[in-house]
Amino acid sequence: MTEPSAVGRDPEAVSKFVEGFAAQLVEAGMQRMAARVFAALLASDSGAMTSAELGEQLQVSPAAVSGAVRYLAQVHMVSREREPGSRRERYRVHSDQWYEALTSRDAVLKRWEHTLREGVDSLGMTSPGGQRIAETLAFFEYLQGELGQLMERWREHRDKTFGQG
């Protein structure tokens, strides 16, 4: 059940890329199956596959694919869509998945900043722990401020390099 547009590609080379990139994502902290599913979607010509197609390509069960997709959807790296006239879902990776994944961290950073601010208040700025927490807070505040500008520059660069997306 190979994806139609993949005809003519070397399945072994594709598999080698998928497993190699997935291994690097795992080293960076991503769950193993989620990394494999993400890499397979990223490498697919259409950017979308069904659970059965992913299971066949990766030689895993539908349950393994389902759990991986659930995680990837939560971190905004894939989306689910229904096939027209079918109950079957396709899972899609978008060209801006890195952008979406990073910008979705905005709410997390804000929660961390709030908690870190409470930590500084609780421990006091003069204590060694309070100073470490204050520096961590300053880092996340800085990151938060730069992230919006960085993402805007990325959109401009992407549009120049790949055309309006």
Side-chain angles (χ1 to χ4, degrees):
M1 190 166 202
T2 306
E3 79 173 305
S5 57
V7 174
R9 294 193 329 178
D10 179 0
E12 195 171 315
V14 172
S15 180
K16 185 176 178 180
F17 164 77
V18 166
E19 296 305 328
F21 188 51
Q24 290 177 13
L25 291 171
V26 169
E27 284 179 23
M30 187 180 280
Q31 299 170 359
R32 183 174 186 276
M33 188 54 59
R36 293 181 72 212
V37 167
F38 179 74
L41 287 168
L42 193 62
S44 70
D45 286 344
S46 66
M49 298 171 79
T50 65
S51 181
E53 290 167 337
L54 284 162
E56 183 177 322
Q57 179 176 335
L58 300 173
Q59 297 296 294
V60 297
S61 71
V65 171
S66 177
V69 168
R70 187 172 30 259
Y71 167 79
L72 291 167
Q74 286 173 348
V75 296
H76 306 281
M77 293 182 77
V78 303
S79 61
R80 298 169 190 253
E81 54 190 41
R82 289 261 185 225
E83 287 187 337
S86 171
R87 291 177 47 184
R88 226 173 18 170
E89 287 187 327
R90 295 183 68 76
Y91 308 114
R92 177 172 301 283
V93 65
H94 298 280
S95 60
D96 62 352
Q97 76 274 352
W98 298 113
Y99 174 85
E100 289 296 324
L102 278 175
T103 54
S104 72
R105 296 289 182 230
D106 188 53
V108 172
L109 289 175
K110 285 192 183 307
R111 284 195 311 268
W112 288 358
E113 286 176 20
H114 176 76
T115 301
L116 289 166
R117 206 168 278 110
E118 287 177 347
V120 171
D121 291 344
S122 298
L123 296 170
M125 277 292 290
T126 57
S127 75
Q131 289 176 355
R132 278 192 304 277
I133 293 170
E135 185 176 341
T136 302
L137 172 60
F139 171 76
F140 285 119
E141 288 173 335
Y142 177 82
L143 186 62
Q144 182 81 14
E146 293 293 311
L147 195 56
Q149 296 170 22
L150 178 66
M151 292 296 105
E152 182 57 36
R153 288 193 310 269
W154 161 246
R155 282 191 299 273
E156 290 170 7
H157 175 74
R158 181 192 62 202
D159 290 349
K160 277 188 233 170
T161 305
F162 300 103
Q164 294 283 329

